Amino acid sequence: MFSKILIANRGEIALRIIRACKELGVRTVVVYSEADRNSLHVRFADEAICIGQAPSKRSYLNIPSIISAAEITDVEAIHPGYGFLAENSHFAEVCESCNIKFIGPTPENIRLMGDKMNARTMMQKAGLPIIPGSTGVIKTKEDAVKVAKRIGYPVIIKACAGGGGKGMRICHNDITLASSFATARSEAEVNFGNPDVYLERYLDSPRHIEVQILGDKYGHILHLGERDCSIQRRHQKLVEESPSCVVDAKLRKRLGDLVVKAAKAVNYVNAGTMEFLLDKKGNFYFMEMNTRIQVEHPVTEAVTGIDLVKEQIRIAAGSKLRLRQEDVKFKGAAIECRINAEDYENNFMPCPGKIEILNLPGGPGVRLDTHIYPGYEVPPYYDSLVAKIIAYGSNRDEALKIMRRALSEFYIGPIKTTIPFHQRLLDNPLFIKGEVSTHFVQDVFIQPQVQAAGD
Ligand code: MV4
């Protein structure tokens, strides 16, 4: 095991990684920006190094500063958390070339899955069902129209270097496809530095189901079941749960077996997640792979009893997975609500600022992952996640009851948060029945704004 590692992140995930390290007897170094001087991750780590100014580019994304901090403190490994440099294959490579272990997949795993068209091709070859679409990058609008003729409308244009919903366009006929094509390519170039796009048949109101995997350096790979992440807004997930209401033990095994086979085909190492869309007929299709620990990993930890962050560190240190697939048992139901410093009644506008009053939830079945405290100032520079509540019960209904109770205890003021959003969601009859899709928040839940007179 490592004796000391560096955590190249901030907020709740930096604390989460510190907790795993303390239990493993690993000392911790954190890096922080000038805006995070008073953060808990700085206080709870064994050592802390300021690496730059508030903007991420000058601190948490600054590879030379982070590597310097690692060299000065003589750490053996770096955990990137999620976001920032977590899926930067160049960073993973730099770490390895400096003889620092990157706690995550290989640089090649990251690079291959970072190109979404390439991931699609590789996963199809490895036996995963994919959405009907182009077999490669599409270079001209004429080719795009040809592919659309074959797969049928509506279609969706996606950027190869995109992912997570950025840079997608839906087209309903030849005319809109031909006219959107050049715009999609130039947007991809501007946003991701790569104009390449591909085409897929557009599925209407699918569910977003993802499967967690863990692989060690010796080719042993486990799946840890699914998470249903359909409750999201503008590609920002708001609620995640496991198990999914629409995945039974038989489908879980089918998905799990396929995912493990596919991960083996690409020699996948460490924690990863395969994202699928599930259509109304119950067909599922591979969409993309995330090569990092995800925000919503605690729901999987709750239902499997496996500490994913400790496993990540053990795997990076060269340990073999101690479990076989038969040993992974799924028990109970877990749900996570993401508490963001956002005003949900005002189009989820970010609301950074000082937390003057704070009452934290607790009690049976409640896990709270947060970095906030009374007097903490939420900085405007980073994402607005301030806490995650995870409720765990013997079944979904019990987990929902625990979550309602936890939300009622949670008070953060005077800044606005998504707590009232979650309270309304948890009382929605369709949500309670589990009848949701990725369009639920926008179409069903947020009522259309009342039009002004005269409009
Ligand atoms: C799709 C789709 C429908 N059809 N692809 C959004 C995130 C990115 N990973 C891909 N996404 C989608 N791809 C096809 N062929 C609908 C979405 C989508 C979505 C997916 C998952 C979670 C939320 C979503 C919200 C809107 C659209």
Side-chain angles (χ1 to χ4, degrees):
M1 183 43 65
F2 304 122
S3 51
K4 183 155 86 167
I5 74 166
L6 182 143
I7 298 160
N9 216 300
R10 62 178 301 282
E12 67 86 20
I13 193 65
L15 286 181
R16 169 70 188 89
I17 300 164
I18 291 173
R19 287 179 171 138
C21 289
K22 285 193 172 161
E23 292 175 22
L24 289 170
V26 175
R27 280 174 293 140
T28 53
V29 177
V30 296
V31 291
Y32 64 96
S33 73
E34 287 174 4
D36 280 338
R37 252 175 222 296
N38 299 318
S39 287
L40 287 188
H41 78 286
V42 173
R43 221 182 299 165
F44 288 168
D46 296 306
E47 294 171 71
I49 295 192
C50 183
I51 49 161
Q53 294 173 318
S56 306
K57 283 206 169 121
R58 295 184 173 273
S59 47
Y60 299 106
L61 290 172
N62 186 331
I63 296 176
S65 298
I66 293 168
I67 296 290
S68 304
E71 303 264 322
I72 290 164
T73 54
D74 199 25
V75 299
E76 296 151 76
I78 296 183
H79 196 306
Y82 54 67
F84 298 123
L85 297 170
E87 292 178 279
N88 184 318
S89 61
H90 170 67
F91 178 62
E93 216 160 64
V94 171
C95 290
E96 302 290 331
S97 70
C98 295
N99 209 15
I100 301 164
K101 290 257 169 15
F102 177 80
I103 302 175
T106 64
E108 189 184 34
N109 289 157
I110 301 173
R111 186 171 51 75
L112 292 176
M113 294 302 119
D115 180 323
K116 303 304 167 185
M117 178 65 229
N118 181 64
R120 185 176 142 83
T121 310
M122 291 189 78
M123 289 307 162
Q124 182 185 32
K125 280 203 186 118
L128 292 184
I130 58 164
I131 303 168
S134 57
T135 48
V137 174
I138 303 185
K139 296 284 189 191
T140 68
K141 61 177 189 291
E142 289 77 17
D143 283 349
V145 168
K146 265 185 222 159
V147 173
K149 280 235 159 31
R150 172 166 62 79
I151 64 178
Y153 284 101
V155 298
I156 183 164
I157 312 174
K158 294 185 177 181
C160 293
K166 280 175 282 176
M168 308 190 317
R169 275 167 176 268
I170 300 154
C171 305
H172 291 271
N173 54 55
D174 289 355
I175 296 162
T176 52
L177 176 57
S179 70
S180 298
F181 191 75
T183 330
R185 273 178 63 86
S186 57
E187 272 180 13
E189 171 78 73
V190 169
N191 290 312
F192 314 115
N194 175 358
D196 289 347
V197 297
Y198 62 102
L199 217 64
E200 276 177 2
R201 166 87 191 202
Y202 178 69
L203 305 180
D204 183 46
S205 304
R207 290 179 88 110
H208 172 129
I209 309 282
E210 58 187 32
V211 182
Q212 176 72 52
I213 63 161
L214 270 182
D216 68 17
K217 294 185 175 180
Y218 313 98
H220 305 305
I221 298 185
L222 298 173
H223 81 84
L224 302 183
E226 80 285 358
R227 296 183 288 258
D228 192 321
C229 309
S230 300
I231 300 295
Q232 56 82 45
R233 180 185 167 273
R234 298 195 182 166
H235 308 298
Q236 289 293 338
K237 292 169 186 162
L238 290 161
V239 173
E240 304 94 349
E241 45 184 304
S242 187
S244 166
C245 304
V246 295
V247 177
D248 59 12
K250 201 171 139 223
L251 180 56
R252 181 168 308 113
K253 176 157 174 22
R254 190 147 65 89
L255 264 174
D257 289 348
L258 277 169
V259 155
V260 167
K261 197 174 123 218
K264 282 185 180 159
V266 296
N267 298 316
Y268 196 80
V269 181
N270 217 288
T273 299
M274 305 237 195
E275 292 187 3
F276 293 87
L277 291 184
L278 194 86
D279 71 14
K280 293 200 187 79
K281 290 180 215 141
N283 303 308
F284 59 87
Y285 306 93
F286 169 80
M287 241 195 346
E288 49 191 75
M289 180 165 195
N290 301 321
T291 55
R292 59 167 190 275
I293 189 80
Q294 290 192 230
V295 175
E296 59 271 29
H297 75 275
V299 300
T300 299
E301 296 185 321
V303 298
T304 62
I306 296 171
D307 185 314
L308 282 163
V309 178
K310 283 204 269 184
E311 291 304 331
Q312 283 194 292
I313 298 168
R314 288 197 187 102
I315 289 166
S319 299
K320 282 187 183 168
L321 281 172
R322 296 152 304 165
L323 293 171
R324 289 163 305 173
Q325 189 64 54
E326 316 80 273
D327 302 325
V328 178
K329 301 276 189 250
F330 304 100
K331 189 174 162 226
I335 177 167
E336 171 179 277
C337 289
R338 295 193 190 188
I339 312 303
N340 298 329
E342 292 172 3
D343 182 0
Y344 114 89
E345 287 177 321
N346 198 356
N347 211 19
F348 290 83
M349 191 180 343
C351 286
K354 190 164 181 170
I355 294 171
E356 309 273 9
I357 312 165
L358 182 63
N359 191 64
L360 300 176
V366 177
R367 166 174 172 182
L368 187 71
D369 280 22
T370 185
H371 58 291
I372 65 176
Y373 57 85
Y376 176 70
E377 204 158 328
V378 179
Y381 304 99
Y382 316 107
D383 85 24
S384 58
L385 183 76
V386 293
K388 309 188 302 205
I389 315 178
I390 301 94
Y392 176 71
S394 57
N395 55 47
R396 184 172 189 263
D397 187 53
E398 192 184 40
L400 295 184
K401 285 186 176 132
I402 293 169
M403 182 61 86
R404 284 188 202 99
R405 191 265 299 162
L407 287 165
S408 75
E409 293 172 0
F410 207 172
Y411 186 83
I412 306 177
I415 64 167
K416 300 269 192 196
T417 72
T418 49
I419 293 171
F421 164 85
H422 290 293
Q423 289 181 306
R424 247 190 79 197
L425 179 77
L426 268 86
D427 285 333
N428 181 284
L430 287 172
F431 176 76
I432 293 169
K433 279 193 274 181
E435 287 172 19
V436 299
S437 77
T438 52
H439 292 2
F440 183 79
V441 176
Q442 208 70 313
D443 294 357
V444 185
F445 191 69
I446 297 178
Q447 302 302 319
Q449 297 293 308
V450 176
Q451 298 224 328
D455 273 11

